[in-house]
Coordinates of all heavy atoms in Angstrom, one line a residue:
G400 N 114.2 104.0 106.0 CA 113.0 104.5 105.3 C 113.3 105.4 104.2 O 113.0 105.1 103.0
A401 N 114.0 106.5 104.4 CA 114.2 107.6 103.4 C 115.1 107.0 102.3 O 114.9 107.3 101.1 CB 114.8 108.8 104.0
L402 N 116.1 106.3 102.7 CA 117.1 105.7 101.7 C 116.4 104.8 100.7 O 116.6 104.9 99.5 CB 118.2 105.0 102.4 CG 119.3 104.4 101.5 CD1 120.0 105.5 100.6 CD2 120.3 103.6 102.3
I403 N 115.5 104.0 101.2 CA 114.8 103.0 100.4 C 113.9 103.8 99.4 O 113.8 103.5 98.2 CB 113.9 102.1 101.2 CG1 114.9 101.1 102.0 CG2 113.0 101.3 100.4 CD1 114.2 100.3 103.1
I404 N 113.2 104.8 99.9 CA 112.3 105.6 99.0 C 113.1 106.3 98.0 O 112.7 106.4 96.8 CB 111.5 106.6 99.8 CG1 110.5 105.8 100.8 CG2 110.7 107.5 98.9 CD1 109.9 106.6 101.8
K405 N 114.3 106.9 98.3 CA 115.1 107.5 97.3 C 115.6 106.5 96.3 O 115.6 106.9 95.1 CB 116.4 108.2 98.0 CG 116.0 109.4 98.8 CD 117.3 109.9 99.5 CE 117.0 111.1 100.4 NZ 118.2 111.6 101.0
Q406 N 116.0 105.3 96.7 CA 116.4 104.3 95.7 C 115.3 103.9 94.8 O 115.5 103.7 93.6 CB 117.0 103.1 96.5 CG 118.3 103.4 97.1 CD 118.9 102.2 97.8 OE1 118.2 101.3 98.2 NE2 120.2 102.3 98.0
L407 N 114.1 103.8 95.4 CA 112.9 103.5 94.5 C 112.7 104.6 93.5 O 112.4 104.3 92.3 CB 111.6 103.3 95.4 CG 111.5 102.0 96.1 CD1 110.3 102.1 97.1 CD2 111.4 100.9 95.2
C408 N 112.9 105.9 93.9 CA 112.7 107.0 93.0 C 113.8 107.0 91.9 O 113.5 107.5 90.8 CB 112.8 108.3 93.8 SG 111.3 108.6 94.7
E409 N 114.9 106.5 92.2 CA 116.0 106.3 91.2 C 115.6 105.3 90.2 O 115.9 105.4 89.0 CB 117.3 106.0 91.8 CG 118.1 107.1 92.4 CD 119.4 106.7 93.0 OE1 120.0 105.7 92.5 OE2 119.9 107.4 93.9
L410 N 115.1 104.2 90.6 CA 114.8 103.0 89.8 C 113.5 103.1 89.1 O 113.3 102.6 88.0 CB 114.8 101.7 90.6 CG 116.2 101.4 91.3 CD1 116.0 100.2 92.2 CD2 117.2 101.1 90.2
L411 N 112.5 103.8 89.7 CA 111.2 103.9 89.1 C 110.8 105.4 88.9 O 111.6 106.3 89.3 CB 110.1 103.3 90.1 CG 110.4 101.8 90.5 CD1 109.4 101.4 91.6 CD2 110.2 100.9 89.3
E412 N 109.7 105.6 88.4 CA 109.2 107.0 88.2 C 108.9 107.6 89.6 O 108.0 107.0 90.3 CB 108.0 107.0 87.3 CG 107.5 108.4 87.0 CD 108.3 109.1 85.9 OE1 109.0 108.4 85.2 OE2 108.3 110.3 86.0
P413 N 109.5 108.7 90.0 CA 109.2 109.3 91.3 C 107.7 109.5 91.6 O 107.2 109.3 92.6 CB 110.0 110.6 91.4 CG 111.1 110.3 90.4 CD 110.6 109.5 89.4
R414 N 107.0 110.0 90.5 CA 105.6 110.3 90.6 C 104.9 109.0 91.0 O 104.0 109.0 91.9 CB 105.1 110.8 89.3 CG 103.6 111.1 89.3 CD 103.1 111.5 87.9 NE 101.7 111.7 88.0 CZ 101.1 112.8 87.7 NH1 101.8 113.9 87.3 NH2 99.8 113.0 87.8
N415 N 105.2 107.9 90.4 CA 104.5 106.6 90.7 C 104.8 106.2 92.2 O 103.9 105.7 92.8 CB 104.9 105.5 89.7 CG 104.4 105.8 88.3 OD1 103.5 106.6 88.1 ND2 105.1 105.2 87.4
V416 N 106.0 106.4 92.6 CA 106.4 106.0 94.0 C 105.6 106.8 95.0 O 105.0 106.3 95.9 CB 107.9 106.2 94.2 CG1 108.3 106.0 95.7 CG2 108.7 105.3 93.3
F417 N 105.5 108.1 94.8 CA 104.8 109.0 95.7 C 103.3 108.8 95.7 O 102.7 108.8 96.7 CB 105.2 110.4 95.5 CG 106.5 110.8 96.2 CD1 107.7 110.4 95.7 CD2 106.4 111.6 97.4 CE1 108.9 110.8 96.4 CE2 107.6 112.0 98.0 CZ 108.8 111.6 97.5
V418 N 102.8 108.6 94.5 CA 101.3 108.4 94.4 C 100.9 107.1 95.1 O 100.0 107.0 95.8 CB 100.9 108.4 92.9 CG1 99.5 107.8 92.7 CG2 100.9 109.8 92.4
T419 N 101.7 106.0 94.9 CA 101.4 104.7 95.5 C 101.5 104.8 97.0 O 100.6 104.3 97.7 CB 102.4 103.6 95.0 OG1 102.3 103.6 93.6 CG2 102.1 102.3 95.6
L420 N 102.6 105.5 97.5 CA 102.7 105.7 99.0 C 101.6 106.5 99.5 O 101.0 106.3 100.6 CB 104.1 106.2 99.3 CG 105.3 105.3 99.1 CD1 106.6 106.1 99.2 CD2 105.2 104.1 100.0
A421 N 101.2 107.6 98.8 CA 100.2 108.5 99.3 C 98.8 107.8 99.4 O 98.1 107.9 100.3 CB 100.1 109.7 98.3
R422 N 98.5 106.9 98.4 CA 97.3 106.2 98.4 C 97.3 105.2 99.6 O 96.2 105.1 100.3 CB 97.1 105.4 97.1 CG 96.7 106.4 96.0 CD 96.4 105.6 94.7 NE 96.0 106.6 93.7 CZ 96.2 106.5 92.4 NH1 96.9 105.4 92.0 NH2 95.8 107.4 91.6
G423 N 98.4 104.6 99.9 CA 98.5 103.7 101.1 C 98.3 104.5 102.4 O 97.7 104.0 103.3
L424 N 98.9 105.6 102.4 CA 98.9 106.4 103.7 C 97.5 107.0 103.9 O 97.1 107.2 105.1 CB 99.9 107.6 103.6 CG 101.4 107.1 103.8 CD1 102.3 108.3 103.5 CD2 101.6 106.6 105.2
T425 N 96.8 107.3 102.9 CA 95.4 107.8 103.0 C 94.5 106.8 103.8 O 93.7 107.2 104.6 CB 94.8 108.1 101.6 OG1 95.6 109.1 101.0 CG2 93.4 108.7 101.8
A426 N 94.8 105.5 103.6 CA 94.0 104.5 104.2 C 94.6 104.0 105.5 O 94.0 103.2 106.2 CB 93.8 103.3 103.3
E427 N 95.8 104.5 105.9 CA 96.5 104.1 107.1 C 95.7 104.4 108.4 O 95.3 105.6 108.5 CB 97.9 104.7 107.1 CG 98.8 104.3 108.3 CD 99.0 102.8 108.4 OE1 99.4 102.2 107.4 OE2 98.8 102.3 109.5
E428 N 95.6 103.5 109.2 CA 94.9 103.7 110.5 C 95.8 104.2 111.6 O 95.4 104.8 112.6 CB 94.2 102.4 110.9 CG 93.0 102.1 110.0 CD 92.3 100.8 110.4 OE1 92.4 100.4 111.6 OE2 91.5 100.3 109.6
D429 N 97.1 103.8 111.5 CA 98.1 104.3 112.5 C 98.5 105.7 112.2 O 99.4 105.9 111.3 CB 99.3 103.3 112.5 CG 100.3 103.7 113.6 OD1 100.2 104.7 114.2 OD2 101.3 102.8 113.8
L430 N 97.9 106.7 112.8 CA 98.1 108.1 112.4 C 99.5 108.6 112.7 O 100.0 109.4 112.1 CB 97.0 108.9 113.0 CG 95.6 108.6 112.6 CD1 94.6 109.6 113.2 CD2 95.5 108.7 111.1
E431 N 100.1 108.0 113.8 CA 101.4 108.4 114.2 C 102.4 108.0 113.1 O 103.3 108.7 112.7 CB 101.8 107.8 115.5 CG 103.1 108.3 116.0 CD 103.5 107.8 117.4 OE1 102.5 107.5 118.2 OE2 104.7 107.7 117.7
F432 N 102.2 106.7 112.6 CA 103.1 106.3 111.5 C 102.9 107.1 110.2 O 103.9 107.5 109.6 CB 102.8 104.8 111.2 CG 103.4 104.3 109.9 CD1 104.8 104.0 109.9 CD2 102.7 104.1 108.8 CE1 105.4 103.6 108.7 CE2 103.2 103.7 107.6 CZ 104.6 103.4 107.5
A433 N 101.6 107.4 109.9 CA 101.3 108.2 108.7 C 102.0 109.5 108.8 O 102.5 110.0 107.8 CB 99.8 108.3 108.5
C434 N 101.9 110.1 110.0 CA 102.5 111.5 110.2 C 104.0 111.4 109.9 O 104.5 112.3 109.2 CB 102.1 112.0 111.6 SG 102.8 113.6 112.0
K435 N 104.7 110.5 110.5 CA 106.1 110.3 110.4 C 106.5 110.0 108.9 O 107.5 110.5 108.4 CB 106.7 109.2 111.3 CG 106.6 109.6 112.7 CD 107.6 110.7 113.0 CE 107.6 110.9 114.5 NZ 108.5 112.0 114.9
M436 N 105.7 109.2 108.3 CA 106.0 108.9 106.9 C 105.8 110.1 106.0 O 106.7 110.3 105.1 CB 105.0 107.7 106.4 CG 105.4 107.1 105.1 SD 107.0 106.3 105.3 CE 107.2 105.7 103.6
V437 N 104.8 110.9 106.2 CA 104.6 112.1 105.4 C 105.7 113.1 105.6 O 106.2 113.7 104.7 CB 103.2 112.7 105.7 CG1 103.1 114.1 105.1 CG2 102.1 111.8 105.1
E438 N 106.2 113.1 106.9 CA 107.3 114.0 107.2 C 108.5 113.6 106.4 O 109.2 114.4 105.8 CB 107.6 113.9 108.7 CG 108.6 114.9 109.2 CD 108.7 114.8 110.7 OE1 107.7 115.0 111.4 OE2 109.8 114.6 111.2
T439 N 108.8 112.3 106.3 CA 109.9 111.8 105.5 C 109.7 112.0 104.1 O 110.7 112.5 103.4 CB 110.0 110.2 105.8 OG1 110.3 110.0 107.2 CG2 111.2 109.6 105.0
L440 N 108.5 111.8 103.6 CA 108.3 112.1 102.1 C 108.4 113.6 101.8 O 108.9 113.9 100.7 CB 106.9 111.6 101.8 CG 106.6 110.1 101.8 CD1 105.2 109.7 101.6 CD2 107.5 109.4 100.8
N441 N 108.0 114.4 102.7 CA 108.2 115.9 102.5 C 109.6 116.2 102.4 O 110.0 117.0 101.5 CB 107.6 116.7 103.7 CG 106.1 116.9 103.5 OD1 105.6 116.9 102.4 ND2 105.4 117.1 104.6
L442 N 110.4 115.7 103.3 CA 111.9 116.0 103.2 C 112.5 115.5 101.9 O 113.3 116.2 101.3 CB 112.6 115.3 104.4 CG 114.0 115.5 104.6 CD1 114.3 117.0 104.8 CD2 114.6 114.7 105.7
I443 N 112.1 114.3 101.5 CA 112.6 113.8 100.2 C 112.2 114.7 99.0 O 113.0 115.0 98.2 CB 112.1 112.3 100.0 CG1 112.8 111.4 101.0 CG2 112.5 111.9 98.6 CD1 112.2 110.0 101.1
V444 N 110.9 115.0 99.0 CA 110.4 115.8 97.8 C 111.1 117.2 97.8 O 111.3 117.8 96.7 CB 108.9 115.8 97.7 CG1 108.3 116.9 98.6 CG2 108.4 116.0 96.3
L445 N 111.4 117.7 99.0 CA 111.9 119.1 99.0 C 113.4 119.1 98.8 O 114.0 120.2 98.4 CB 111.6 119.7 100.4 CG 110.1 120.1 100.6 CD1 109.9 120.5 102.0 CD2 109.7 121.1 99.6
T446 N 114.2 118.1 99.1 CA 115.6 118.2 99.1 C 116.3 117.1 98.2 O 117.5 117.3 97.9 CB 116.2 118.0 100.5 OG1 115.8 116.7 101.0 CG2 115.6 119.0 101.5
S447 N 115.7 116.1 97.9 CA 116.4 115.0 97.2 C 116.5 115.2 95.7 O 115.5 115.5 95.0 CB 115.6 113.7 97.5 OG 116.2 112.6 96.7
P448 N 117.7 115.0 95.1 CA 117.8 115.1 93.7 C 117.0 114.1 92.9 O 116.5 114.3 91.8 CB 119.3 114.9 93.4 CG 120.0 114.7 94.7 CD 118.9 114.7 95.8
E449 N 116.7 112.9 93.6 CA 115.9 111.9 92.9 C 114.4 112.3 92.7 O 113.8 111.8 91.9 CB 115.9 110.6 93.8 CG 117.2 109.9 93.9 CD 118.1 110.5 95.1 OE1 117.7 111.5 95.7 OE2 119.2 110.0 95.3
A450 N 114.0 113.3 93.5 CA 112.6 113.8 93.4 C 112.5 115.2 92.6 O 111.5 115.8 92.7 CB 112.0 113.9 94.8
M451 N 113.6 115.6 91.9 CA 113.5 116.8 91.2 C 112.4 116.9 90.2 O 111.7 117.9 90.2 CB 114.9 117.1 90.5 CG 114.9 118.3 89.6 SD 115.6 119.8 90.3 CE 117.2 119.3 90.8
E452 N 112.2 115.9 89.5 CA 111.1 115.9 88.5 C 109.7 116.0 89.2 O 108.9 116.8 88.7 CB 111.2 114.6 87.7 CG 110.1 114.5 86.6 CD 110.2 113.2 85.8 OE1 111.3 112.7 85.7 OE2 109.1 112.8 85.3
L453 N 109.6 115.4 90.3 CA 108.3 115.5 91.0 C 108.1 116.9 91.5 O 107.0 117.4 91.5 CB 108.3 114.5 92.2 CG 107.0 114.4 93.0 CD1 105.9 113.9 92.2 CD2 107.3 113.5 94.2
R454 N 109.2 117.5 92.1 CA 109.1 118.9 92.5 C 108.6 119.8 91.4 O 107.8 120.7 91.6 CB 110.4 119.4 93.0 CG 110.7 119.1 94.4 CD 111.9 119.9 94.9 NE 113.2 119.8 94.2 CZ 114.0 118.8 94.4 NH1 113.8 117.8 95.3 NH2 115.1 118.7 93.7
L455 N 109.2 119.6 90.2 CA 108.8 120.5 89.1 C 107.3 120.2 88.7 O 106.6 121.2 88.4 CB 109.7 120.2 87.9 CG 111.2 120.6 88.1 CD1 112.0 120.1 86.9 CD2 111.3 122.1 88.3
Q456 N 106.9 119.0 88.7 CA 105.5 118.7 88.4 C 104.6 119.4 89.5 O 103.5 119.9 89.1 CB 105.2 117.2 88.4 CG 105.8 116.5 87.2 CD 105.7 115.0 87.3 OE1 105.2 114.5 88.3 NE2 106.2 114.3 86.3
L457 N 104.9 119.4 90.7 CA 104.1 120.0 91.8 C 104.1 121.5 91.6 O 103.1 122.2 91.8 CB 104.6 119.6 93.1 CG 104.3 118.2 93.6 CD1 105.0 117.8 94.8 CD2 102.8 118.0 93.7
K458 N 105.3 122.1 91.2 CA 105.3 123.5 91.0 C 104.4 124.0 89.9 O 103.8 125.0 89.9 CB 106.7 124.0 90.7 CG 107.7 124.0 91.9 CD 109.0 124.5 91.4 CE 110.0 124.4 92.6 NZ 111.4 124.9 92.2
Q459 N 104.2 123.1 88.9 CA 103.4 123.4 87.7 C 101.9 123.0 88.0 O 101.1 123.2 87.1 CB 103.9 122.6 86.5 CG 105.3 122.8 86.2 CD 105.6 123.9 85.2 OE1 104.7 124.2 84.4 NE2 106.7 124.6 85.3
S460 N 101.6 122.6 89.2 CA 100.2 122.1 89.4 C 99.2 123.2 89.2 O 98.0 122.8 89.0 CB 100.1 121.5 90.8 OG 100.3 122.5 91.8
V461 N 99.5 124.4 89.3 CA 98.6 125.5 89.2 C 98.2 125.7 87.7 O 97.1 126.0 87.3 CB 99.1 126.8 89.8 CG1 98.2 127.9 89.5 CG2 99.4 126.6 91.2
R462 N 99.2 125.4 86.8 CA 99.1 125.7 85.4 C 98.7 124.5 84.5 O 98.2 124.7 83.4 CB 100.4 126.3 84.9 CG 100.7 127.7 85.5 CD 101.9 128.3 84.9 NE 102.6 129.0 86.0 CZ 103.8 128.8 86.4 NH1 104.6 127.9 85.8 NH2 104.3 129.4 87.4
Q463 N 99.0 123.3 85.0 CA 98.8 122.1 84.2 C 97.9 121.2 84.8 O 98.0 120.8 86.0 CB 100.2 121.5 83.9 CG 101.1 122.3 83.1 CD 102.4 121.6 82.8 OE1 102.7 120.5 83.4 NE2 103.2 122.2 81.9
P464 N 96.9 120.6 84.1 CA 95.9 119.7 84.7 C 96.6 118.4 85.2 O 96.2 117.9 86.2 CB 95.0 119.3 83.5 CG 95.2 120.4 82.5 CD 96.6 121.0 82.7
D465 N 97.7 118.0 84.6 CA 98.4 116.8 85.1 C 99.0 117.1 86.4 O 98.9 116.2 87.3 CB 99.5 116.4 84.1 CG 100.0 115.0 84.3 OD1 99.3 114.1 84.7 OD2 101.3 114.9 84.2
G466 N 99.6 118.2 86.6 CA 100.1 118.6 87.9 C 99.1 118.8 89.0 O 99.2 118.4 90.1
A467 N 97.9 119.3 88.6 CA 96.8 119.5 89.5 C 96.3 118.1 90.0 O 96.0 117.9 91.2 CB 95.7 120.3 88.9
A468 N 96.2 117.2 89.1 CA 95.8 115.8 89.4 C 96.8 115.2 90.4 O 96.4 114.5 91.4 CB 95.6 114.9 88.2
L469 N 98.0 115.4 90.2 CA 99.1 114.9 91.1 C 98.9 115.5 92.5 O 98.9 114.8 93.5 CB 100.5 115.2 90.6 CG 101.6 114.9 91.5 CD1 101.7 113.4 91.8 CD2 102.9 115.4 90.9
F470 N 98.7 116.8 92.6 CA 98.5 117.5 93.9 C 97.2 116.9 94.6 O 97.3 116.6 95.8 CB 98.4 119.0 93.6 CG 98.1 119.7 94.9 CD1 99.2 120.0 95.8 CD2 96.8 120.1 95.3 CE1 99.0 120.7 97.0 CE2 96.6 120.8 96.5 CZ 97.7 121.0 97.3
Q471 N 96.2 116.8 93.8 CA 94.9 116.2 94.4 C 95.1 114.8 94.9 O 94.4 114.4 95.9 CB 93.8 116.3 93.4 CG 93.3 117.7 93.1 CD 92.3 117.8 92.0 OE1 92.1 116.9 91.3 NE2 91.7 119.0 91.9
T472 N 95.9 114.0 94.3 CA 96.2 112.7 94.8 C 97.0 112.7 96.0 O 96.8 111.9 97.0 CB 96.9 111.9 93.7 OG1 96.1 111.9 92.5 CG2 97.2 110.4 94.1
L473 N 98.0 113.6 96.1 CA 99.0 113.6 97.2 C 98.3 114.3 98.5 O 98.6 113.9 99.6 CB 100.3 114.3 96.9 CG 101.1 113.6 95.8 CD1 102.4 114.5 95.5 CD2 101.5 112.2 96.2
Y474 N 97.5 115.3 98.2 CA 97.0 116.1 99.3 C 96.4 115.3 100.5 O 96.7 115.6 101.7 CB 96.1 117.2 98.8 CG 95.6 118.1 99.9 CD1 96.5 119.1 100.4 CD2 94.4 118.0 100.5 CE1 96.1 119.9 101.5 CE2 94.0 118.8 101.5 CZ 94.8 119.8 102.0 OH 94.5 120.6 103.0
P475 N 95.5 114.4 100.2 CA 94.8 113.7 101.4 C 95.8 113.0 102.3 O 95.7 113.0 103.5 CB 93.9 112.7 100.7 CG 93.6 113.3 99.4 CD 94.9 114.0 99.0
A476 N 96.9 112.4 101.8 CA 97.9 111.8 102.6 C 98.7 112.9 103.3 O 99.1 112.7 104.5 CB 98.8 110.9 101.8
W477 N 99.1 113.9 102.6 CA 99.9 115.0 103.2 C 99.2 115.7 104.3 O 99.8 116.3 105.2 CB 100.3 116.0 102.1 CG 101.7 115.8 101.6 CD1 102.7 116.7 101.7 CD2 102.2 114.6 101.0 NE1 103.8 116.1 101.1 CE2 103.6 114.9 100.7 CE3 101.7 113.4 100.6 CZ2 104.4 114.0 100.1 CZ3 102.5 112.5 100.0 CH2 103.8 112.8 99.7
S478 N 97.9 115.6 104.4 CA 97.1 116.3 105.5 C 97.4 115.6 106.8 O 97.0 116.1 107.9 CB 95.7 116.4 105.1 OG 95.1 115.1 105.1
H479 N 98.0 114.4 106.8 CA 98.3 113.7 108.1 C 99.4 114.5 108.8 O 99.6 114.3 110.0 CB 98.8 112.3 107.8 CG 97.8 111.3 107.5 ND1 96.8 111.0 108.4 CD2 97.5 110.6 106.4 CE1 95.9 110.1 107.8 NE2 96.4 109.9 106.6
N480 N 100.2 115.4 108.1 CA 101.2 116.1 108.8 C 101.3 117.5 108.3 O 102.1 117.9 107.4 CB 102.6 115.4 108.5 CG 103.7 116.0 109.3 OD1 103.5 117.0 110.0 ND2 104.9 115.5 109.1
P481 N 100.4 118.4 108.8 CA 100.4 119.8 108.3 C 101.6 120.5 108.8 O 102.0 120.2 110.0 CB 99.1 120.4 109.0 CG 98.8 119.4 110.1 CD 99.3 118.1 109.8
A482 N 102.2 121.3 108.0 CA 103.5 121.9 108.4 C 103.3 123.0 109.4 O 102.3 123.6 109.6 CB 104.1 122.6 107.1

């Protein structure tokens, strides 16, 4: 799972990968799967060099409207696995 997502982030825009996955997870009915997937995505966004640009965009979410929109898109999916 994580390796595939990292490779997708290398080949595509990490923001697009995470937004697409987050939208799918928001509608996911299998909450256990959604929880595990969000856990994996969290690990990737926090530690993976492939997601560095995404990390920076999220850090800027307080100051930039584009970052705020990203946060608002990811948050509903991320609520499946509160830290």
Side-chain angles (χ1 to χ4, degrees):
L402 180 61
I403 293 170
I404 295 168
K405 288 179 184 181
Q406 288 179 338
L407 284 171
C408 288
E409 280 184 26
L410 298 172
L411 305 169
E412 185 74 27
R414 179 186 179 119
N415 293 339
V416 173
F417 274 76
V418 165
T419 301
L420 291 171
R422 287 184 177 145
L424 287 171
T425 301
E427 180 60 49
E428 293 181 15
D429 183 351
L430 298 181
E431 188 175 333
F432 169 76
C434 181
K435 291 291 184 185
M436 191 66 182
V437 169
E438 189 176 304
T439 300
L440 293 173
N441 277 335
L442 184 63
I443 292 168
V444 83
L445 291 172
T446 63
S447 175
E449 295 86 356
M451 173 97 56
E452 182 181 330
L453 183 65
R454 272 195 303 278
L455 294 174
Q456 290 174 356
L457 287 169
K458 285 181 184 179
Q459 304 271 330
S460 66
V461 177
R462 295 182 216 124
Q463 296 181 350
D465 192 40
L469 173 63
F470 179 80
Q471 290 173 347
T472 302
L473 297 179
Y474 182 76
W477 259 241
S478 64
H479 284 299
N480 186 358

